[in-house]
Amino acid sequence: MDNFQKNLPTSVLAEILENAFQWFVVVDADSKILYINEDYCRFLEVKREEAIGKPVADIIENTKMHEVIKSGVPDNASPHYIKGTYMLANRVPLFVDGKIVGAFGSVIFRDMSDWKKLSSHVQTTMERIQLNLEDNSYSEYRLGDIKGSSPAIRKTKETIEIIAPSDLPVLIEGESGTGKDMFAHSIHQLSERSDFPFVKVNCAAIPADLLEKELFGVYNQLTGLVQNGRVKQADNGTLYIDEISTLPLTLQAKLLRAMQDEEILPLNSENSEKVNVRIVASSNISLSQLIEEKKFREDLFYRLQAITLRIPPLRERMEDFVDLLNYFLQKFMLKAGRRHVTLATKTREILQSYHWPGNVRELQNILQAAVYLAENDIILPSALPAQVKLRNVPSFQTTGTLEDILAAVEKKVLQSYLEEESDKIQIAKQLGLSRSTLYEKIKKHNL
């Protein structure tokens, strides 16, 4: 910083101060103005020499500079109503040797409508970037990466080996979290198109008004060029349409024409383009059910469903559970840099008796978190989410007097908590009891 000050003339430093921000002001510890740039003065309709040394509240209406000096806490991107308009301002306390000596304030947007426009533009841009990152960057999953040896999984793998070399469209149906993406990738990797692009589009993640452009591209009338959509990007390769059940009916018709005629018509264009793609689609609900509800085109369904893979939920292939459990445990141990992590017997019992509505993805996420939460390299039940443990609350008697039933429930709940958590202070907190009340109940039930 000393070097910076020595090598730059005062005139240059003044130029930087005047132009680095649209409007800015510096005040001392008494909230009196030490410096204010000329542009801000013009807006405030005050001469700079008259503003310097005055309390900032006398010059800038609704200022909060004095509050920042008092609290020592920055106030960033805060609306500031001044001269009939809401603006966006930053206010930052200035410290020297740990003591507040003043504050710096700047207006970063002169009109909140400008901020809203920019915010909307940034949000839309970030959404588009994120969609591209999520949809088109993936691990090259192969059939061997799909874990499990249950009859349903073996049959699905065998079917994939038979149909993958063809160009036939494939429909993959299964609940969310069953691993439909992995099966789609595997089909592509085993096909003769594996040297060409695998392009994914998630219909549920893209707003309906953007989906046509994302799929089929758009003609730019100013440049005369076509921005390619996902179909064209997948030319000679595989287009994976995830959650096709959410594709609007109008776009279903356009997709069907693309499959039949092997050509697409970009948005705003009068000229069609030839494409050669294989379609793999997935859905977490039955498309035949949507046809009955008039939400999915019957002709497109028949075009897709000739080869249908139905991926079973985890609860229907629990014979694969141990393999999946061990695989994910090893994977996340390596990722976390932990050499040896084991499941407590009670934890394993809870996991095996859980119904897994989120399927393999839920198992994967829970184990990843549990590895990091493991105490002394042992994953205790306390490392599991509440919804998993709640499904394993012990059953209780429903006969006898109400007093007997409540006593039995109380005992079993306490037993369950004591098995999962050794810290009685934590148990008392979770149950909303005082520590002395908890000890009385433990003694009462001889636990």
Side-chain angles (χ1 to χ4, degrees):
M1 188 65 181
D2 289 341
N3 237 3
F4 177 76
Q5 291 171 320
K6 286 176 185 174
N7 294 326
L8 282 180
T10 304
S11 59
V12 174
L13 288 172
E15 190 72 19
I16 291 171
L17 286 173
E18 283 297 308
N19 297 294
F21 298 91
Q22 290 185 334
W23 300 333
F24 79 95
V25 61
V26 181
V27 301
D28 63 17
D30 296 320
S31 300
K32 292 182 178 179
I33 296 174
L34 294 173
Y35 192 94
I36 184 169
N37 69 334
E38 191 64 46
D39 200 16
Y40 205 176
C41 287
R42 277 195 293 271
F43 169 74
L44 296 170
E45 298 177 341
V46 63
K47 292 181 180 180
R48 179 150 54 182
E49 55 269 26
E50 293 174 0
I52 301 294
K54 293 277 183 69
V56 67
D58 291 352
I59 304 299
I60 304 172
E61 63 178 304
N62 300 316
T63 184
K64 293 183 180 177
M65 298 288 279
H66 57 289
E67 294 178 11
V68 168
I69 292 170
K70 186 177 179 181
S71 67
V73 178
D75 183 28
N76 291 320
S78 175
H80 184 174
Y81 189 75
I82 182 169
K83 296 185 77 171
T85 305
Y86 272 106
M87 304 175 182
L88 213 58
N90 284 343
R91 306 174 185 91
V92 182
L94 301 174
F95 292 85
V96 173
D97 297 328
K99 182 181 177 182
I100 295 178
V101 295
F104 169 84
S106 64
V107 173
I108 52 178
F109 280 95
R110 301 185 190 188
D111 190 325
M112 286 293 284
S113 63
D114 288 342
W115 160 246
K116 288 174 183 174
K117 288 174 188 173
L118 180 63
S119 177
S120 176
H121 172 71
V122 170
Q123 184 177 352
T124 301
T125 302
M126 292 306 295
E127 284 174 356
R128 293 288 295 277
I129 291 170
Q130 189 61 31
L131 283 171
N132 280 310
L133 287 173
E134 289 177 356
D135 285 353
N136 289 323
S137 52
Y138 66 95
S139 302
E140 292 187 348
Y141 293 119
R142 300 180 183 275
L143 210 55
D145 296 322
I146 298 170
K147 305 302 174 186
S149 56
S150 61
I153 293 299
R154 282 205 313 270
K155 184 179 178 181
T156 302
K157 287 182 177 181
E158 289 167 4
T159 303
I160 288 174
E161 288 177 332
I162 294 169
I163 57 95
S166 74
D167 277 343
L168 292 169
V170 180
L171 175 62
I172 306 172
E173 291 189 341
E175 295 178 8
S176 294
T178 49
K180 297 187 291 295
D181 285 18
M182 295 183 71
F183 289 94
H185 295 158
S186 299
I187 292 168
H188 176 72
Q189 292 300 330
L190 285 173
S191 75
E192 294 179 2
R193 296 173 178 265
S194 59
D195 291 333
F196 295 95
F198 176 95
V199 178
K200 175 185 173 183
V201 57
N202 186 334
C203 298
I206 302 176
D209 57 339
L210 294 178
L211 197 48
E212 183 174 5
K213 187 164 57 177
E214 285 292 330
L215 272 171
F216 302 106
V218 61
Y219 173 71
N220 188 320
Q221 294 174 334
L222 291 175
T223 64
L225 300 174
V226 172
Q227 178 186 326
N228 288 332
R230 304 291 174 93
V231 179
K232 189 64 177 178
Q233 291 168 20
D235 203 13
N236 295 315
T238 302
L239 176 68
Y240 173 42
I241 307 176
D242 191 16
E243 304 302 356
I244 195 171
S245 57
T246 62
L247 189 66
L249 287 166
T250 52
L251 296 187
Q252 290 178 29
K254 197 165 181 176
L255 176 63
L256 179 62
R257 286 198 299 274
M259 294 176 70
Q260 290 173 338
D261 303 337
E262 295 189 345
E263 61 181 29
I264 57 171
L265 184 66
L267 193 63
N268 301 332
S269 176
E270 296 178 357
N271 301 313
S272 59
E273 298 183 8
K274 298 297 285 186
V275 288
N276 174 16
V277 296
R278 182 188 195 169
I279 302 293
V280 177
S282 73
S283 176
N284 61 5
I285 58 177
S286 171
L287 294 186
S288 57
Q289 176 188 329
L290 292 180
I291 290 171
E292 292 178 9
E293 298 171 3
K294 307 297 183 185
K295 294 179 181 177
F296 201 86
R297 290 181 64 103
E298 195 169 3
D299 46 6
L300 178 57
F301 172 69
Y302 289 129
R303 184 82 184 184
L304 290 169
Q305 62 85 47
I307 298 173
T308 302
L309 304 177
R310 290 186 174 84
I311 313 304
L314 181 54
R315 62 184 174 276
E316 291 180 11
R317 59 176 184 116
M318 287 302 286
E319 55 263 67
D320 293 330
F321 186 79
V322 174
D323 286 344
L324 290 166
L325 193 68
N326 293 335
Y327 170 74
F328 288 132
L329 205 54
Q330 290 298 319
K331 175 182 176 180
F332 296 128
M333 277 167 48
L334 290 172
K335 193 173 181 180
R338 305 186 73 162
R339 295 181 63 185
H340 186 66
V341 176
T342 58
L343 290 164
T345 302
K346 181 65 176 177
T347 307
R348 186 178 291 269
E349 290 172 1
I350 291 172
L351 292 174
Q352 287 182 313
S353 61
Y354 183 54
H355 67 301
W356 298 106
N359 294 296
V360 178
R361 186 190 297 132
E362 185 181 16
L363 172 63
Q364 182 174 339
N365 292 338
I366 284 173
L367 284 177
Q368 183 173 16
V371 166
Y372 283 95
L373 295 171
E375 298 178 17
N376 300 320
D377 290 337
I378 299 175
I379 298 175
L380 299 171
S382 57
L384 301 179
Q387 78 271 13
V388 178
K389 292 184 284 188
L390 283 174
R391 293 288 299 187
N392 291 272
V393 172
S395 58
F396 54 86
Q397 68 185 58
T398 56
T399 59
T401 65
L402 180 60
E403 186 179 354
D404 291 339
I405 293 171
L406 291 175
V409 171
E410 184 177 79
K411 181 176 181 180
K412 291 201 172 184
V413 169
L414 287 171
Q415 273 180 325
S416 178
Y417 272 85
L418 289 167
E419 287 173 1
E420 297 177 15
E421 176 64 69
S422 58
D423 188 343
K424 292 184 178 61
I425 295 175
Q426 285 298 319
I427 295 173
K429 187 176 179 181
Q430 290 173 30
L431 292 175
L433 303 173
S434 66
R435 189 163 41 168
S436 59
T437 302
L438 176 65
Y439 279 109
E440 286 173 10
K441 291 183 180 295
I442 290 173
K443 185 178 180 181
K444 169 186 169 184
H445 296 293
N446 296 316
L447 296 176

